[in-house]
């Protein structure tokens, strides 16, 4: 039976074959390229998408249902992971390495630790690995990651006040562009459209299709339209509510009103003539 599982430190799902008697919510032992680890079954009879939902190199297989002792061991490993992280940071300072530790993964049997780090330049960490292996008596692997993966591992709260999407539920990082912010009439101030990772907010892409389609329906800012109160000039479009803010009157005597899109009639001929004059 095909099942979707997740590890405790990531919302990314992985597909494995499990026995039929294993239920949703069960903690299981799986074997991954890192070694034996605990994972949670989040969905059974899950359909695997045709295109890469998971990393093709991340081959994972079911071993057995976890015992209470193994679940306790996994919790105890959290302390060991913190010890490894603390010692690694001490050695980094001693060796003068320019790198930042983001997180540590530890196999269930404590035979291997995977240490994730970020660095602007290439780092020679051979001495660091030797020292850590000698101290903790286990295999040490260092993996360099990007800023987005770092935020996913470390977590945090975004501008909205909620925990970062990549830590909660995002299974993949979709392409996000500045054009998406423009489509939503957002300020292009980097501090307002960037996440903790320093990259553009993932949520810019959530409703982008809606904004693109709505933009096609709305009159252009500066264009002339007909309203129930007469002819006016478009000042602003509220894309979410589909409201059009219009100035009615001349430069000396005017009023500003909001109208629903259905109440607006665009003066295409007049606007096209204006565009030709400006050109």
């Amino acid at each position: 039976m095909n099942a979707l599982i997740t590890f405790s430190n990531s919302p990314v799902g992985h597909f494995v074959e499990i026995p039929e008697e294993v239920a949703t919510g069960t903690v299981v032992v799986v074997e991954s390229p890192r070694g034996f680890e605990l994972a949670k079954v989040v969905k059974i009879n899950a359909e695997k998408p045709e295109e890469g939902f998971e990393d093709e190199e991340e081959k994972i297989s079911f071993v057995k249902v976890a015992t209470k002792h193994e679940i306790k061991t996994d919790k105890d490993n959290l302390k060991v992971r913190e010890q490894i992280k603390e010692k690694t940071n001490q050695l980094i300072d001693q060796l003068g390495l320019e790198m930042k530790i983001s997180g540590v993964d530890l196999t269930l049997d404590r035979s291997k630790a995977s240490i994730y780090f970020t660095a602007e330049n290439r780092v020679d960490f051979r001495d660091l690995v030797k020292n850590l292996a000698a101290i903790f008596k286990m295999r040490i692997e260092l993996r360099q990651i990007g800023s987005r993966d770092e935020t996913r591992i470390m977590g945090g709260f975004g501008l909205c006040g909620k925990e970062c999407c990549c830590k909660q539920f995002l299974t993949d990082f979709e392409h996000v562009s500045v054009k998406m912010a423009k489509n939503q009439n957002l300020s292009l101030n980097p501090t307002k459209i960037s996440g903790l990772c320093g990259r553009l907010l993932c949520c810019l892409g959530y409703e982008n299709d809606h904004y693109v389609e709505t933009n096609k329906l709305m009159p252009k800012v500066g264009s002339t339209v007909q309203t129930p109160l007469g002819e006016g000039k478009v000042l602003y479009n509220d894309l979410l509510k589909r409201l059009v803010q219009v100035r009615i009157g001349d430069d000396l005597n005017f009023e500003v009103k909001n109208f629903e899109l259905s109440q607006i009639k665009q003066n295409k001929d007049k606007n096209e003539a204006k565009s030709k004059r400006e050109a």
Side-chain angles (χ1 to χ4, degrees), residues 10 44-45 54 65 82 86 119 137 154 177 193 200 248:
S10 172
I44 58 175
N45 292 323
E54 59 179 311
V65 174
E82 286 302 315
E86 183 179 350
K137 308 300 181 185
M154 300 186 71
S177 67
I193 59 174
L200 290 172
I248 301 171

Side-chain angles (χ1 to χ4, degrees), residues 173-204:
F173 293 117
E174 299 291 340
H175 174 69
V176 184
S177 67
V178 174
K179 186 177 180 181
M180 293 179 179
K182 292 180 179 178
N183 290 339
Q184 299 174 43
N185 288 333
L186 296 177
S187 166
L188 299 184
N189 185 333
T191 60
K192 295 184 177 181
I193 59 174
S194 299
L196 296 181
C197 59
R199 308 284 295 276
L200 290 172
L201 291 164
C202 292
C203 56
L204 290 177

Side-chain angles (χ1 to χ4, degrees), residues 2-4 15 43-50 53:
N2 211 24
L4 185 67
F15 289 88
K43 187 178 182 180
I44 58 175
N45 292 323
E47 294 185 6
K48 187 175 181 179
E50 295 181 0
F53 179 81

Side-chain angles (χ1 to χ4, degrees), residues 39-243:
K40 186 176 182 180
V41 178
V42 295
K43 187 178 182 180
I44 58 175
N45 292 323
E47 294 185 6
K48 187 175 181 179
E50 295 181 0
E51 298 184 357
F53 179 81
E54 59 179 311
D55 188 347
E56 291 299 326
E57 297 181 359
E58 190 82 348
K59 302 301 180 182
I60 300 171
S61 58
F62 171 83
V63 177
K64 63 173 185 173
V65 174
T67 63
K68 291 182 179 180
H69 174 71
E70 287 166 333
I71 293 174
K72 182 181 182 302
T73 299
D74 188 61
K75 290 182 179 179
D76 293 339
N77 282 350
L78 293 174
K79 297 179 181 179
V80 181
R81 285 160 58 179
E82 286 302 315
Q83 292 171 3
I84 294 173
K85 185 176 180 179
E86 183 179 350
K87 190 61 181 179
T88 302
N89 283 322
Q90 291 177 2
L91 290 173
I92 286 174
D93 291 337
Q94 293 176 16
L95 296 171
L97 301 177
E98 295 183 358
M99 56 192 294
K100 178 185 175 184
I101 300 303
S102 303
V104 178
D105 277 341
L106 189 63
T107 56
L108 190 60
D109 57 5
R110 300 182 185 178
S111 63
K112 177 184 175 182
S114 299
I115 303 173
Y116 303 93
F117 73 95
T118 57
E120 293 185 3
N121 302 306
R122 187 171 180 177
V123 180
D124 184 355
F125 48 72
R126 287 174 294 182
D127 289 339
L128 176 62
V129 171
K130 290 178 182 177
N131 289 335
L132 289 171
I135 294 171
F136 293 102
K137 308 300 181 185
M138 65 178 69
R139 183 183 171 190
I140 302 293
E141 180 183 65
L142 266 75
R143 290 188 176 186
Q144 186 168 358
I145 59 176
S147 58
R148 280 187 166 182
D149 287 308
E150 179 188 28
T151 301
R152 166 175 282 173
I153 291 174
M154 300 186 71
F157 293 89
L159 296 173
C160 59
K162 295 184 178 181
E163 188 177 22
C164 293
C165 297
C166 59
K167 186 68 174 178
Q168 287 189 82
F169 59 84
L170 283 185
T171 58
D172 197 8
F173 293 117
E174 299 291 340
H175 174 69
V176 184
S177 67
V178 174
K179 186 177 180 181
M180 293 179 179
K182 292 180 179 178
N183 290 339
Q184 299 174 43
N185 288 333
L186 296 177
S187 166
L188 299 184
N189 185 333
T191 60
K192 295 184 177 181
I193 59 174
S194 299
L196 296 181
C197 59
R199 308 284 295 276
L200 290 172
L201 291 164
C202 292
C203 56
L204 290 177
Y206 294 171
E207 299 173 345
N208 184 60
D209 290 344
H210 165 79
Y211 283 105
V212 170
E213 292 304 314
T214 303
N215 261 320
K216 293 177 182 178
L217 302 174
M218 305 297 280
K220 291 184 179 181
V221 173
S223 64
T224 301
V225 294
Q226 287 292 336
T227 75
L229 299 180
E231 188 176 86
K233 182 178 181 181
V234 177
L235 300 179
Y236 175 76
N237 289 320
D238 188 325
L239 300 179
L240 278 179
K241 297 180 180 179
R242 293 194 174 189
L243 293 177

